Amino acid sequence: MSNKNRMLIILIVDICIVWLAISTSYLFRFDGSISPFFEKQMLLFAFLTTFIGGSSLAYFRMYRRMWQYASIGEIIELFKAVFIGLLLSYAATYLIAGNRVPISVATRTLELMLLFMGGSRFLWRLIRVNRTKKTGLSNHVLVVGAGDCGALIAKEIMTSVSFLGNRIIGFVDDDPHKRNMHVVGLPVLGTRTDIKELVEKHQIHDIIIAMPSAKRMQISDIINICKLSGAKVKIIPSINDFIKGKLAVRSLRNVEVEDLLGRDTVMTDLEGIANYVSGKVVLVTGAGGSIGSELCRQISSFDPSVLMLLGHGENSIYTIEMELRTKFPHVHLETVIADIQDRSRMDDVFRKYRPQVVFHAAAHKHVPLMERNPSEAVKNNVFGTRNVADCADKYKAERFVMISSDKAVNPSSIMGATKRIAEMYIQSINTISETQFVAVRFGNVLGSRGSVIPRFKEQIAAGGPVTVTHPDMVRYFMTIPEAVQLVIQAGAFAKGGEIFVLDMGNPVRILDLAQDLIRLSGYEPYVDIEINFSGMREGEKLFEELLTDEEAVTSTQHERIYIGKPTQINRAELELQFKKIEKVIGEDQRSIKEVIEHLVPFYFNAS
């Protein structure tokens, strides 16, 4: 039905209510026998109330409201419209007729108009809700959280045309005072521990977690309970949307594996970060990659004087450039297509732009690929890092922050070994340079290109099977934004020579990760989606470490950032080994690995 037709029907109903209310009130007042004098007064009062009262209702937009969403606010506005309209009609009748309408008639008319007009509108809402409940394709929904957010979500689902076919069964909430109470007409059925039982009892199809202000650990615990129930799980993103009034059913999103990590939002020292980034020329190498592009996004919010996006792939650099120009139009961007292995090109870039802060994220990171192409790993991760670091020293950059990896600790792969050598180089150059060189070491990031989560999602979308290398393999995981936030924060603590280690929380078993992702996608592992084990790949370990045996960890001002202090690096010996590596570049893999084994003693011991 169109809005115009709906408004016309409501208007006709209101006119009928006005005449019914006034005539009934006069009949009650005069015991069913109205004299000719009061008949004329009644007709005049009814005509005036029809036009004046209707105008008042229109003024208060009573015909432009969606009554399926009606609440206390609409009741108050309706009372104002009817009361003011009737009061003006009462005064107009007195001025025209010269005699006043009996007070009892006016009072009863007000009561009946409010009763019938309010009742007709809420009857419409009731019909819509019942239509939702009676639909044959009803999905039963359980809402976790019986607070303001849960109530709003439940009301919208119950009344929105877009969600016909979804029936809210009730809430669960851990607050004991809400047990057996009703919220927006729906029962609070129990606590989080009752979720699995309630899903089975009421045949729940969807669970909505409506707790935007809850801590991440709480959300993680609830998700772990929900995922075992077999129901699909959705979640309200964050408290920010709730505060800014953006909350709606459309803001619901699917639960992701990131929600299971259970870590609270990273708290940063904004002033400390601003002191070394704001107003500075900042260079990000590998700016088109997963970590590099997120570095660019977060650095942009600190107002650098120039942000340089350096990368080898033109498409990825173009993509992040367009995104930043849209989101941060005030930031001066410089895009540089260059290969960090090209020393003369790096020198040209540093001489032209003179970056004051360098975030070095460019690297080859895929373990099996680098095992088969060790020369490329060495050229990019070792000599590429040396080129950028040497230029930072030559042109007196203030700070150099290298993105490292937990695979650099007791490495069993070429990729890990080359990252360890890169760490050693920047620590050695720090001893002779005015630039503060540091490295930040962390584990896997969820959602990065080529990482396990996107691959699992692709396999699930294809109907399986999901491939896991080994049932006992574990890894440390962190989201890209939180990893980058901690990298930038670690840069604020830099004094030179440190290897910062990020607290990655507890390690996660890859098999559990695959099973969780299958369940969160609405399937049952080994029933709907098979899991196959392919065996460990070249260079992989069952578990990764964050510190070498010779490193001792010390704390920083930030609870999630630690400093690993390695033994002193002999720069002369390091340079000699670099010359040996340069000689074997391009030769057989064994020759390259033998030189690296001598330079990184724990390399083959860990394999």
Side-chain angles (χ1 to χ4, degrees), residues 184-215:
V184 294
L186 298 167
V188 179
L189 299 169
T191 64
R192 71 176 74 174
T193 58
D194 301 311
I195 289 175
K196 188 174 181 181
E197 179 186 341
L198 291 170
V199 168
E200 294 174 357
K201 180 179 178 181
H202 297 283
Q203 297 182 326
I204 301 296
H205 184 267
D206 294 315
I207 298 174
I208 296 174
I209 301 174
M211 301 171 63
S213 60
K215 292 186 177 180

PDB file of all heavy atoms in Angstrom, residues 184-215:
ATOM      1  N   VAL A 184      10.534  -5.357  26.039  1.00  0.00           N
ATOM      2  CA  VAL A 184       9.726  -5.107  24.837  1.00  0.00           C
ATOM      3  C   VAL A 184       8.773  -6.277  24.551  1.00  0.00           C
ATOM      4  O   VAL A 184       8.589  -6.698  23.405  1.00  0.00           O
ATOM      5  CB  VAL A 184      10.599  -4.776  23.585  1.00  0.00           C
ATOM      6  CG1 VAL A 184      11.315  -3.465  23.769  1.00  0.00           C
ATOM      7  CG2 VAL A 184      11.589  -5.895  23.263  1.00  0.00           C
ATOM      8  N   GLY A 185       8.193  -6.793  25.631  1.00  0.00           N
ATOM      9  CA  GLY A 185       7.203  -7.848  25.497  1.00  0.00           C
ATOM     10  C   GLY A 185       7.766  -9.244  25.316  1.00  0.00           C
ATOM     11  O   GLY A 185       7.011 -10.199  25.109  1.00  0.00           O
ATOM     12  N   LEU A 186       9.088  -9.393  25.417  1.00  0.00           N
ATOM     13  CA  LEU A 186       9.727 -10.693  25.207  1.00  0.00           C
ATOM     14  C   LEU A 186      10.432 -11.149  26.477  1.00  0.00           C
ATOM     15  O   LEU A 186      11.025 -10.332  27.197  1.00  0.00           O
ATOM     16  CB  LEU A 186      10.743 -10.608  24.064  1.00  0.00           C
ATOM     17  CG  LEU A 186      10.170 -10.248  22.700  1.00  0.00           C
ATOM     18  CD1 LEU A 186      11.294  -9.878  21.740  1.00  0.00           C
ATOM     19  CD2 LEU A 186       9.356 -11.407  22.130  1.00  0.00           C
ATOM     20  N   PRO A 187      10.406 -12.449  26.777  1.00  0.00           N
ATOM     21  CA  PRO A 187      10.960 -12.932  28.043  1.00  0.00           C
ATOM     22  C   PRO A 187      12.484 -13.021  28.036  1.00  0.00           C
ATOM     23  O   PRO A 187      13.100 -13.269  27.002  1.00  0.00           O
ATOM     24  CB  PRO A 187      10.339 -14.326  28.174  1.00  0.00           C
ATOM     25  CG  PRO A 187      10.140 -14.776  26.760  1.00  0.00           C
ATOM     26  CD  PRO A 187       9.768 -13.530  25.989  1.00  0.00           C
ATOM     27  N   VAL A 188      13.068 -12.802  29.210  1.00  0.00           N
ATOM     28  CA  VAL A 188      14.491 -13.089  29.420  1.00  0.00           C
ATOM     29  C   VAL A 188      14.546 -14.536  29.890  1.00  0.00           C
ATOM     30  O   VAL A 188      14.137 -14.859  30.996  1.00  0.00           O
ATOM     31  CB  VAL A 188      15.117 -12.137  30.454  1.00  0.00           C
ATOM     32  CG1 VAL A 188      16.587 -12.488  30.667  1.00  0.00           C
ATOM     33  CG2 VAL A 188      14.980 -10.693  30.012  1.00  0.00           C
ATOM     34  N   LEU A 189      15.069 -15.417  29.043  1.00  0.00           N
ATOM     35  CA  LEU A 189      14.924 -16.860  29.236  1.00  0.00           C
ATOM     36  C   LEU A 189      16.023 -17.487  30.088  1.00  0.00           C
ATOM     37  O   LEU A 189      15.875 -18.611  30.548  1.00  0.00           O
ATOM     38  CB  LEU A 189      14.889 -17.551  27.866  1.00  0.00           C
ATOM     39  CG  LEU A 189      13.733 -17.123  26.947  1.00  0.00           C
ATOM     40  CD1 LEU A 189      13.957 -17.653  25.536  1.00  0.00           C
ATOM     41  CD2 LEU A 189      12.406 -17.621  27.503  1.00  0.00           C
ATOM     42  N   GLY A 190      17.138 -16.780  30.265  1.00  0.00           N
ATOM     43  CA  GLY A 190      18.220 -17.362  31.048  1.00  0.00           C
ATOM     44  C   GLY A 190      19.504 -16.585  30.875  1.00  0.00           C
ATOM     45  O   GLY A 190      19.505 -15.418  30.461  1.00  0.00           O
ATOM     46  N   THR A 191      20.631 -17.236  31.180  1.00  0.00           N
ATOM     47  CA  THR A 191      21.948 -16.614  31.070  1.00  0.00           C
ATOM     48  C   THR A 191      22.710 -17.268  29.919  1.00  0.00           C
ATOM     49  O   THR A 191      22.201 -18.178  29.244  1.00  0.00           O
ATOM     50  CB  THR A 191      22.738 -16.782  32.367  1.00  0.00           C
ATOM     51  OG1 THR A 191      22.987 -18.184  32.588  1.00  0.00           O
ATOM     52  CG2 THR A 191      21.951 -16.232  33.566  1.00  0.00           C
ATOM     53  N   ARG A 192      23.951 -16.837  29.723  1.00  0.00           N
ATOM     54  CA  ARG A 192      24.744 -17.374  28.609  1.00  0.00           C
ATOM     55  C   ARG A 192      24.937 -18.892  28.707  1.00  0.00           C
ATOM     56  O   ARG A 192      25.067 -19.572  27.703  1.00  0.00           O
ATOM     57  CB  ARG A 192      26.105 -16.674  28.534  1.00  0.00           C
ATOM     58  CG  ARG A 192      27.053 -17.035  29.647  1.00  0.00           C
ATOM     59  CD  ARG A 192      28.417 -16.406  29.488  1.00  0.00           C
ATOM     60  NE  ARG A 192      28.410 -14.983  29.779  1.00  0.00           N
ATOM     61  CZ  ARG A 192      29.502 -14.229  29.821  1.00  0.00           C
ATOM     62  NH1 ARG A 192      30.676 -14.776  29.554  1.00  0.00           N
ATOM     63  NH2 ARG A 192      29.437 -12.949  30.106  1.00  0.00           N
ATOM     64  N   THR A 193      24.941 -19.406  29.939  1.00  0.00           N
ATOM     65  CA  THR A 193      25.133 -20.852  30.107  1.00  0.00           C
ATOM     66  C   THR A 193      23.937 -21.658  29.601  1.00  0.00           C
ATOM     67  O   THR A 193      24.043 -22.868  29.405  1.00  0.00           O
ATOM     68  CB  THR A 193      25.383 -21.193  31.587  1.00  0.00           C
ATOM     69  OG1 THR A 193      24.278 -20.725  32.370  1.00  0.00           O
ATOM     70  CG2 THR A 193      26.668 -20.528  32.081  1.00  0.00           C
ATOM     71  N   ASP A 194      22.805 -20.980  29.402  1.00  0.00           N
ATOM     72  CA  ASP A 194      21.594 -21.668  28.933  1.00  0.00           C
ATOM     73  C   ASP A 194      21.443 -21.631  27.416  1.00  0.00           C
ATOM     74  O   ASP A 194      20.460 -22.165  26.883  1.00  0.00           O
ATOM     75  CB  ASP A 194      20.348 -21.027  29.564  1.00  0.00           C
ATOM     76  CG  ASP A 194      20.374 -21.076  31.082  1.00  0.00           C
ATOM     77  OD1 ASP A 194      20.634 -22.167  31.613  1.00  0.00           O
ATOM     78  OD2 ASP A 194      20.145 -20.031  31.731  1.00  0.00           O
ATOM     79  N   ILE A 195      22.374 -21.000  26.711  1.00  0.00           N
ATOM     80  CA  ILE A 195      22.206 -20.770  25.275  1.00  0.00           C
ATOM     81  C   ILE A 195      22.019 -22.068  24.495  1.00  0.00           C
ATOM     82  O   ILE A 195      21.084 -22.200  23.696  1.00  0.00           O
ATOM     83  CB  ILE A 195      23.392 -19.969  24.708  1.00  0.00           C
ATOM     84  CG1 ILE A 195      23.316 -18.513  25.203  1.00  0.00           C
ATOM     85  CG2 ILE A 195      23.406 -19.999  23.174  1.00  0.00           C
ATOM     86  CD1 ILE A 195      24.496 -17.656  24.804  1.00  0.00           C
ATOM     87  N   LYS A 196      22.891 -23.036  24.720  1.00  0.00           N
ATOM     88  CA  LYS A 196      22.806 -24.273  23.950  1.00  0.00           C
ATOM     89  C   LYS A 196      21.472 -24.978  24.177  1.00  0.00           C
ATOM     90  O   LYS A 196      20.826 -25.467  23.241  1.00  0.00           O
ATOM     91  CB  LYS A 196      23.971 -25.197  24.319  1.00  0.00           C
ATOM     92  CG  LYS A 196      24.071 -26.417  23.417  1.00  0.00           C
ATOM     93  CD  LYS A 196      25.321 -27.225  23.713  1.00  0.00           C
ATOM     94  CE  LYS A 196      25.399 -28.441  22.775  1.00  0.00           C
ATOM     95  NZ  LYS A 196      26.591 -29.270  23.057  1.00  0.00           N
ATOM     96  N   GLU A 197      21.020 -25.030  25.438  1.00  0.00           N
ATOM     97  CA  GLU A 197      19.747 -25.669  25.769  1.00  0.00           C
ATOM     98  C   GLU A 197      18.577 -24.937  25.121  1.00  0.00           C
ATOM     99  O   GLU A 197      17.642 -25.556  24.588  1.00  0.00           O
ATOM    100  CB  GLU A 197      19.570 -25.700  27.292  1.00  0.00           C
ATOM    101  CG  GLU A 197      18.270 -26.321  27.754  1.00  0.00           C
ATOM    102  CD  GLU A 197      18.083 -26.207  29.254  1.00  0.00           C
ATOM    103  OE1 GLU A 197      19.088 -25.986  29.968  1.00  0.00           O
ATOM    104  OE2 GLU A 197      16.935 -26.318  29.716  1.00  0.00           O
ATOM    105  N   LEU A 198      18.625 -23.593  25.138  1.00  0.00           N
ATOM    106  CA  LEU A 198      17.545 -22.797  24.553  1.00  0.00           C
ATOM    107  C   LEU A 198      17.488 -22.969  23.034  1.00  0.00           C
ATOM    108  O   LEU A 198      16.401 -22.983  22.445  1.00  0.00           O
ATOM    109  CB  LEU A 198      17.733 -21.322  24.919  1.00  0.00           C
ATOM    110  CG  LEU A 198      17.511 -20.967  26.389  1.00  0.00           C
ATOM    111  CD1 LEU A 198      17.956 -19.528  26.667  1.00  0.00           C
ATOM    112  CD2 LEU A 198      16.048 -21.141  26.778  1.00  0.00           C
ATOM    113  N   VAL A 199      18.660 -23.076  22.399  1.00  0.00           N
ATOM    114  CA  VAL A 199      18.696 -23.283  20.948  1.00  0.00           C
ATOM    115  C   VAL A 199      17.999 -24.585  20.581  1.00  0.00           C
ATOM    116  O   VAL A 199      17.217 -24.647  19.628  1.00  0.00           O
ATOM    117  CB  VAL A 199      20.154 -23.271  20.438  1.00  0.00           C
ATOM    118  CG1 VAL A 199      20.233 -23.778  19.011  1.00  0.00           C
ATOM    119  CG2 VAL A 199      20.728 -21.857  20.516  1.00  0.00           C
ATOM    120  N   GLU A 200      18.269 -25.629  21.344  1.00  0.00           N
ATOM    121  CA  GLU A 200      17.639 -26.929  21.074  1.00  0.00           C
ATOM    122  C   GLU A 200      16.145 -26.897  21.390  1.00  0.00           C
ATOM    123  O   GLU A 200      15.326 -27.401  20.618  1.00  0.00           O
ATOM    124  CB  GLU A 200      18.332 -28.015  21.910  1.00  0.00           C
ATOM    125  CG  GLU A 200      19.786 -28.256  21.516  1.00  0.00           C
ATOM    126  CD  GLU A 200      20.481 -29.228  22.453  1.00  0.00           C
ATOM    127  OE1 GLU A 200      19.831 -29.673  23.439  1.00  0.00           O
ATOM    128  OE2 GLU A 200      21.658 -29.541  22.217  1.00  0.00           O
ATOM    129  N   LYS A 201      15.783 -26.276  22.513  1.00  0.00           N
ATOM    130  CA  LYS A 201      14.385 -26.262  22.956  1.00  0.00           C
ATOM    131  C   LYS A 201      13.489 -25.471  22.012  1.00  0.00           C
ATOM    132  O   LYS A 201      12.374 -25.897  21.680  1.00  0.00           O
ATOM    133  CB  LYS A 201      14.295 -25.688  24.369  1.00  0.00           C
ATOM    134  CG  LYS A 201      12.881 -25.632  24.941  1.00  0.00           C
ATOM    135  CD  LYS A 201      12.900 -25.076  26.358  1.00  0.00           C
ATOM    136  CE  LYS A 201      11.479 -24.976  26.913  1.00  0.00           C
ATOM    137  NZ  LYS A 201      11.495 -24.410  28.295  1.00  0.00           N
ATOM    138  N   HIS A 202      13.968 -24.308  21.568  1.00  0.00           N
ATOM    139  CA  HIS A 202      13.139 -23.409  20.757  1.00  0.00           C
ATOM    140  C   HIS A 202      13.505 -23.452  19.271  1.00  0.00           C
ATOM    141  O   HIS A 202      12.992 -22.637  18.505  1.00  0.00           O
ATOM    142  CB  HIS A 202      13.259 -21.970  21.279  1.00  0.00           C
ATOM    143  CG  HIS A 202      12.749 -21.798  22.673  1.00  0.00           C
ATOM    144  ND1 HIS A 202      11.414 -21.724  22.982  1.00  0.00           N
ATOM    145  CD2 HIS A 202      13.414 -21.694  23.858  1.00  0.00           C
ATOM    146  CE1 HIS A 202      11.259 -21.564  24.290  1.00  0.00           C
ATOM    147  NE2 HIS A 202      12.463 -21.551  24.838  1.00  0.00           N
ATOM    148  N   GLN A 203      14.397 -24.374  18.898  1.00  0.00           N
ATOM    149  CA  GLN A 203      14.820 -24.500  17.498  1.00  0.00           C
ATOM    150  C   GLN A 203      15.304 -23.152  16.952  1.00  0.00           C
ATOM    151  O   GLN A 203      14.863 -22.681  15.904  1.00  0.00           O
ATOM    152  CB  GLN A 203      13.678 -25.054  16.645  1.00  0.00           C
ATOM    153  CG  GLN A 203      13.252 -26.462  17.037  1.00  0.00           C
ATOM    154  CD  GLN A 203      12.152 -27.022  16.158  1.00  0.00           C
ATOM    155  OE1 GLN A 203      11.279 -26.283  15.700  1.00  0.00           O
ATOM    156  NE2 GLN A 203      12.201 -28.318  15.913  1.00  0.00           N
ATOM    157  N   ILE A 204      16.224 -22.549  17.676  1.00  0.00           N
ATOM    158  CA  ILE A 204      16.771 -21.240  17.308  1.00  0.00           C
ATOM    159  C   ILE A 204      17.622 -21.380  16.047  1.00  0.00           C
ATOM    160  O   ILE A 204      18.480 -22.260  15.945  1.00  0.00           O
ATOM    161  CB  ILE A 204      17.627 -20.661  18.457  1.00  0.00           C
ATOM    162  CG1 ILE A 204      16.801 -20.505  19.735  1.00  0.00           C
ATOM    163  CG2 ILE A 204      18.253 -19.329  18.036  1.00  0.00           C
ATOM    164  CD1 ILE A 204      15.670 -19.523  19.639  1.00  0.00           C
ATOM    165  N   HIS A 205      17.373 -20.486  15.101  1.00  0.00           N
ATOM    166  CA  HIS A 205      18.143 -20.484  13.854  1.00  0.00           C
ATOM    167  C   HIS A 205      19.270 -19.453  13.894  1.00  0.00           C
ATOM    168  O   HIS A 205      20.368 -19.698  13.397  1.00  0.00           O
ATOM    169  CB  HIS A 205      17.211 -20.180  12.674  1.00  0.00           C
ATOM    170  CG  HIS A 205      17.888 -20.249  11.341  1.00  0.00           C
ATOM    171  ND1 HIS A 205      18.436 -19.143  10.730  1.00  0.00           N
ATOM    172  CD2 HIS A 205      18.131 -21.298  10.507  1.00  0.00           C
ATOM    173  CE1 HIS A 205      18.980 -19.507   9.579  1.00  0.00           C
ATOM    174  NE2 HIS A 205      18.801 -20.794   9.414  1.00  0.00           N
ATOM    175  N   ASP A 206      19.001 -18.281  14.475  1.00  0.00           N
ATOM    176  CA  ASP A 206      19.987 -17.189  14.529  1.00  0.00           C
ATOM    177  C   ASP A 206      20.150 -16.692  15.962  1.00  0.00           C
ATOM    178  O   ASP A 206      19.163 -16.548  16.693  1.00  0.00           O
ATOM    179  CB  ASP A 206      19.548 -16.009  13.656  1.00  0.00           C
ATOM    180  CG  ASP A 206      19.524 -16.356  12.180  1.00  0.00           C
ATOM    181  OD1 ASP A 206      20.481 -16.987  11.715  1.00  0.00           O
ATOM    182  OD2 ASP A 206      18.545 -16.001  11.504  1.00  0.00           O
ATOM    183  N   ILE A 207      21.385 -16.410  16.329  1.00  0.00           N
ATOM    184  CA  ILE A 207      21.696 -15.764  17.609  1.00  0.00           C
ATOM    185  C   ILE A 207      22.311 -14.402  17.305  1.00  0.00           C
ATOM    186  O   ILE A 207      23.221 -14.299  16.493  1.00  0.00           O
ATOM    187  CB  ILE A 207      22.677 -16.601  18.451  1.00  0.00           C
ATOM    188  CG1 ILE A 207      22.056 -17.959  18.811  1.00  0.00           C
ATOM    189  CG2 ILE A 207      23.066 -15.856  19.726  1.00  0.00           C
ATOM    190  CD1 ILE A 207      23.017 -18.893  19.526  1.00  0.00           C
ATOM    191  N   ILE A 208      21.786 -13.363  17.958  1.00  0.00           N
ATOM    192  CA  ILE A 208      22.322 -12.012  17.779  1.00  0.00           C
ATOM    193  C   ILE A 208      22.958 -11.569  19.092  1.00  0.00           C
ATOM    194  O   ILE A 208      22.289 -11.527  20.133  1.00  0.00           O
ATOM    195  CB  ILE A 208      21.222 -11.016  17.372  1.00  0.00           C
ATOM    196  CG1 ILE A 208      20.647 -11.394  16.008  1.00  0.00           C
ATOM    197  CG2 ILE A 208      21.767  -9.593  17.338  1.00  0.00           C
ATOM    198  CD1 ILE A 208      19.461 -10.559  15.591  1.00  0.00           C
ATOM    199  N   ILE A 209      24.240 -11.268  19.049  1.00  0.00           N
ATOM    200  CA  ILE A 209      24.942 -10.766  20.236  1.00  0.00           C
ATOM    201  C   ILE A 209      24.843  -9.251  20.228  1.00  0.00           C
ATOM    202  O   ILE A 209      25.475  -8.573  19.410  1.00  0.00           O
ATOM    203  CB  ILE A 209      26.409 -11.224  20.257  1.00  0.00           C
ATOM    204  CG1 ILE A 209      26.477 -12.761  20.255  1.00  0.00           C
ATOM    205  CG2 ILE A 209      27.140 -10.666  21.480  1.00  0.00           C
ATOM    206  CD1 ILE A 209      27.879 -13.310  20.125  1.00  0.00           C
ATOM    207  N   ALA A 210      24.024  -8.704  21.131  1.00  0.00           N
ATOM    208  CA  ALA A 210      23.747  -7.258  21.174  1.00  0.00           C
ATOM    209  C   ALA A 210      24.350  -6.667  22.446  1.00  0.00           C
ATOM    210  O   ALA A 210      23.647  -6.209  23.339  1.00  0.00           O
ATOM    211  CB  ALA A 210      22.238  -7.009  21.116  1.00  0.00           C
ATOM    212  N   MET A 211      25.674  -6.698  22.517  1.00  0.00           N
ATOM    213  CA  MET A 211      26.392  -6.194  23.697  1.00  0.00           C
ATOM    214  C   MET A 211      27.568  -5.339  23.248  1.00  0.00           C
ATOM    215  O   MET A 211      28.732  -5.698  23.425  1.00  0.00           O
ATOM    216  CB  MET A 211      26.876  -7.370  24.556  1.00  0.00           C
ATOM    217  CG  MET A 211      25.761  -8.284  25.045  1.00  0.00           C
ATOM    218  SD  MET A 211      26.394  -9.789  25.833  1.00  0.00           S
ATOM    219  CE  MET A 211      27.272  -9.098  27.246  1.00  0.00           C
ATOM    220  N   PRO A 212      27.303  -4.182  22.618  1.00  0.00           N
ATOM    221  CA  PRO A 212      28.386  -3.395  22.026  1.00  0.00           C
ATOM    222  C   PRO A 212      29.387  -2.835  23.020  1.00  0.00           C
ATOM    223  O   PRO A 212      30.501  -2.496  22.641  1.00  0.00           O
ATOM    224  CB  PRO A 212      27.638  -2.262  21.303  1.00  0.00           C
ATOM    225  CG  PRO A 212      26.328  -2.163  22.007  1.00  0.00           C
ATOM    226  CD  PRO A 212      25.982  -3.554  22.427  1.00  0.00           C
ATOM    227  N   SER A 213      28.998  -2.729  24.298  1.00  0.00           N
ATOM    228  CA  SER A 213      29.922  -2.155  25.282  1.00  0.00           C
ATOM    229  C   SER A 213      30.665  -3.218  26.082  1.00  0.00           C
ATOM    230  O   SER A 213      31.480  -2.891  26.939  1.00  0.00           O
ATOM    231  CB  SER A 213      29.152  -1.244  26.251  1.00  0.00           C
ATOM    232  OG  SER A 213      28.157  -1.975  26.937  1.00  0.00           O
ATOM    233  N   ALA A 214      30.385  -4.503  25.811  1.00  0.00           N
ATOM    234  CA  ALA A 214      31.041  -5.578  26.561  1.00  0.00           C
ATOM    235  C   ALA A 214      32.514  -5.674  26.187  1.00  0.00           C
ATOM    236  O   ALA A 214      32.917  -5.330  25.068  1.00  0.00           O
ATOM    237  CB  ALA A 214      30.342  -6.906  26.292  1.00  0.00           C
ATOM    238  N   LYS A 215      33.328  -6.160  27.115  1.00  0.00           N
ATOM    239  CA  LYS A 215      34.744  -6.365  26.836  1.00  0.00           C
ATOM    240  C   LYS A 215      34.910  -7.510  25.852  1.00  0.00           C
ATOM    241  O   LYS A 215      34.093  -8.423  25.779  1.00  0.00           O
ATOM    242  CB  LYS A 215      35.494  -6.670  28.139  1.00  0.00           C
ATOM    243  CG  LYS A 215      35.565  -5.481  29.081  1.00  0.00           C
ATOM    244  CD  LYS A 215      36.428  -5.788  30.290  1.00  0.00           C
ATOM    245  CE  LYS A 215      36.565  -4.568  31.192  1.00  0.00           C
ATOM    246  NZ  LYS A 215      37.403  -4.842  32.379  1.00  0.00           N
TER     247      LYS A 215
END
